[in-house]
Amino acid sequence: MQSPLFSHTEQQSQERYTVQNPQLLRVALTGHDDVLARKGAMVAYQGMMDFDGEYQNPNQHRARAQTGEGLDLMRCSGQGTVYFANLAQYIHVVDVDQDGLTVDSAYVLALDSALHTEVIAVDSQYGISGSGKYQLNISGRGKVALMTSGQPLMLQVTPEKYVNVDADAIVAWSSSLRVQMQAQTHASSIRRRRGSTGEGWELNFLGQGFALVQPSEVMPPQHAQIGQGVAAQFGVGQHGAHGQNRNNAWS
């Protein structure tokens, strides 16, 4: 049998995490260090593998219930190779160091089991609990695989150059950065955010680090609801479900 499909063979690598192709992650397990992955993200594996639901302690359950942030994970252990993907999203491997990484949990595909996760609050400049107020902080040393809708943009933040990012487009940022949630407006009322421009809530980053932005202002595909139309796919900013709830509360 012959086909161009045979050009899509396994990537040979000594690395633990390898991007098999832009939308498929290959993880090599040696039997010593487990990997935690989004539930249902396994698409193939080779070798002797075990997949178990990951236990959540009471604090994690409480944080998930109160904030909506958290990870539904499975623990993958054994010896061999396992492949992960999620709705053909683009995959990027990040080394987490002492600075840590703050991320929307919807964009996490997999991470080393040695990493620590904690739900944190993003302060609002105006003292309003806006959408995207809660995020996931990942700390320790290890690797995490993130997902984006399309190829992303990595922006560098320095003390001389701060960065503003649309709340619907932000994926992750260095935990060392100072961040505020704000609504740009020239009116005295925050409810009129930028009038008829279509722009709304954004995050302001200051300090030294990086901010990862995706070329999309819609929810990750796993949050889209079939039959609900385009509006159901929007993310956490002005057009998101939380944003709409906030608008309704103000009206």
Side-chain angles (χ1 to χ4, degrees):
M1 185 170 65
Q2 295 182 344
S3 170
L5 287 171
F6 287 100
S7 64
H8 301 285
T9 55
E10 298 175 68
Q11 294 283 356
Q12 299 302 314
S13 173
Q14 298 301 314
E15 297 291 329
R16 175 172 167 85
Y17 286 69
T18 304
V19 178
Q20 168 71 29
N21 63 49
Q23 296 155 305
L24 191 65
L25 177 69
R26 174 185 185 269
V27 180
L29 297 179
T30 62
H32 301 292
D33 299 318
D34 298 344
V35 64
L36 301 178
R38 176 177 294 276
K39 286 184 178 179
M42 184 274 292
V43 296
Y45 70 91
Q46 297 173 315
M48 301 296 293
M49 294 286 179
D50 288 321
F51 303 92
D52 295 306
E54 178 65 1
Y55 169 76
Q56 288 189 332
N57 62 45
N59 289 336
Q60 290 172 321
H61 274 293
R62 191 177 305 112
R64 185 67 179 272
Q66 293 175 348
T67 68
E69 279 293 328
L71 295 170
D72 289 324
L73 297 173
M74 60 180 177
R75 180 175 290 267
C76 310
S77 58
Q79 290 183 294
T81 304
V82 59
Y83 295 88
F84 299 112
N86 185 68
L87 299 172
Q89 289 182 278
Y90 286 80
I91 297 169
H92 318 275
V93 178
V94 179
D95 281 302
V96 179
D97 54 20
Q98 64 271 15
D99 290 335
L101 181 73
T102 302
V103 62
D104 187 320
S105 59
Y107 299 110
V108 176
L109 177 64
L111 70 159
D112 285 334
S113 59
L115 290 171
H116 175 71
T117 62
E118 179 185 14
V119 175
I120 62 171
V122 176
D123 292 334
S124 168
Q125 182 177 353
Y126 295 93
I128 296 174
S129 299
S131 298
K133 177 179 173 64
Y134 295 99
Q135 302 288 341
L136 195 70
N137 190 63
I138 302 177
S139 58
R141 289 185 177 274
K143 294 183 183 293
V144 56
L146 302 179
M147 305 175 293
T148 62
S149 297
Q151 293 286 12
L153 171 67
M154 183 69 85
L155 294 170
Q156 185 175 12
V157 183
T158 68
E160 297 77 28
K161 183 178 67 175
Y162 61 85
V163 171
N164 293 312
V165 178
D166 191 293
D168 287 325
I170 187 68
V171 174
W173 63 86
S174 305
S175 296
S176 58
L177 292 174
R178 301 192 308 277
V179 58
Q180 292 179 319
M181 195 167 189
Q182 61 186 17
Q184 291 288 359
T185 178
H186 296 294
S188 59
S189 172
I190 191 175
R191 299 174 180 82
R192 292 186 57 187
R193 302 185 305 272
R194 290 191 178 179
S196 60
T197 66
E199 298 294 342
W201 292 97
E202 49 184 55
L203 297 181
N204 174 251
F205 298 100
L206 304 96
Q208 188 77 44
F210 297 90
L212 182 64
V213 181
Q214 66 178 355
S216 172
E217 296 185 48
V218 298
M219 275 187 176
Q222 63 267 18
H223 286 174
Q225 299 181 28
I226 296 175
Q228 297 298 313
V230 175
Q233 301 178 27
F234 286 111
V236 299
Q238 176 189 16
H239 299 293
H242 293 294
Q244 295 302 319
N245 291 338
R246 181 175 59 246
N247 292 339
N248 291 338
W250 284 344
S251 60

